Amino acid sequence: METAEFLQALEREGHLLAAAAEEAGTDAKVPTCPEWQVRDLLRHTGAVHRWAAAFVAERLTERRPLVEPTGLDGAELVAWYRDSHRHLVETLTGASPDVECFAFLPAPSPLAFWARRQAHETAVHRVDAESAQGGEPAAVAPGFATDGIDELLRGFHARSRSRVRTPEPRVLRVRTQDTGAVWTVRLSPEPPVTTRDASMEAECELSGPAEQLYLALWNRAALPNVTGDQALATLWREASAI
């Protein structure tokens, strides 16, 4: 996907998130994140938006702490979230393609990284807001979901902080049934090594439509299909939280 497509997704997902949060109310529980109420979701996601925008706008090259507000609530908090989202979209849209700033996953450029990361950050938390609202969440486009799975497997879980590890080498496969994407995840005592292929025999395969796999791998939904060693699916559930 191109940066412009991620920016379109970011704008759309943020509007949906705010609308769902407003309808649910900031006191509402978030079923997909049981420790949160909607106020926690808005404070976190809005703070992440402002944190990300600052790296690009100020060309910051070092990580800085994320600071969440504590006093905002109710309609004022929803308005603050909308302003945080608008500021992020405007910052990324107006940034130079060659802007140099901090990024924490591989990407063609820092701007490409932040557009992609914030689009997926917002999409997942939009699903959280809609879970508080009740009913079925809005659809996630298959191509966007496939990209999000790739970011999760080959980006987040390639880092040293990934806890998805096994005492002995194991192989997990992830396959989208609608977009034809497939990943091989090599597990060991070290961080997972994931390739975009089906290059070796897997002991467990997680498969399903891209949208369902995307939400399941982010622990927002049940895994659609599991074949082979169920212990590897359980490992993902227990150890993959970011």
Side-chain angles (χ1 to χ4, degrees):
M1 293 179 61
E2 299 296 326
T3 297
E5 295 176 281
F6 288 122
L7 292 175
Q8 291 171 358
L10 169 60
E11 184 165 21
R12 179 181 63 253
E13 296 292 342
H15 289 314
L16 289 172
L17 190 161
E22 185 172 45
E23 181 171 329
T26 56
D27 286 336
K29 297 287 188 182
V30 181
T32 50
C33 296
E35 71 279 12
W36 273 0
Q37 292 174 284
V38 167
R39 66 173 55 87
D40 303 303
L41 173 64
L42 290 176
R43 289 170 181 170
H44 170 76
T45 312
V48 169
H49 288 343
R50 290 174 182 263
W51 179 76
F55 287 115
V56 177
E58 300 174 34
R59 297 176 178 261
L60 302 174
T61 57
E62 301 291 333
R63 180 187 285 270
R64 72 179 194 180
L66 176 69
V67 180
E68 298 184 13
T70 56
L72 293 175
D73 206 351
E76 185 182 12
L77 177 57
V78 175
W80 176 84
Y81 172 76
R82 285 194 166 109
D83 185 62
S84 303
H85 172 251
R86 176 195 55 76
H87 174 61
L88 173 64
V89 171
E90 290 179 354
T91 297
L92 297 183
T93 300
S96 171
D98 61 359
V99 63
E100 292 294 331
C101 64
F102 170 78
F104 60 86
L105 295 178
S109 70
L111 180 61
F113 162 77
W114 283 114
R116 182 194 202 193
R117 177 79 293 276
Q118 286 301 291
H120 288 298
E121 174 89 11
T122 311
V124 170
H125 287 317
R126 181 266 295 174
V127 171
D128 293 333
E130 290 177 340
S131 78
Q133 181 187 21
E136 290 296 316
V140 178
F144 180 75
T146 300
D147 179 83
I149 295 170
D150 193 72
E151 184 202 40
L152 181 63
L153 296 179
R154 297 203 295 161
F156 278 101
H157 285 289
R159 300 189 300 170
S160 61
R161 65 182 63 184
S162 176
R163 297 180 297 110
V164 183
R165 306 186 185 208
T166 53
E168 302 295 333
R170 308 292 300 279
V171 179
L172 175 68
R173 183 99 69 232
V174 177
R175 187 187 305 272
T176 62
Q177 296 171 334
D178 49 351
T179 64
V182 59
W183 297 263
T184 298
V185 185
R186 295 165 177 83
L187 303 173
S188 74
E190 300 300 319
V193 176
T194 302
T195 51
R196 191 78 178 262
D197 56 33
S199 59
M200 56 192 303
E201 186 175 351
E203 297 158 81
C204 176
E205 179 167 305
L206 313 179
S207 64
E211 177 183 20
Q212 293 181 30
L213 271 179
Y214 176 61
L215 297 180
L217 292 171
W218 274 106
N219 294 314
R220 263 60 180 190
L223 288 164
N225 300 297
V226 179
T227 57
D229 188 347
Q230 299 284 322
L232 292 183
T234 300
L235 172 68
W236 184 272
R237 277 296 192 203
E238 294 177 347
S240 67
I242 299 298

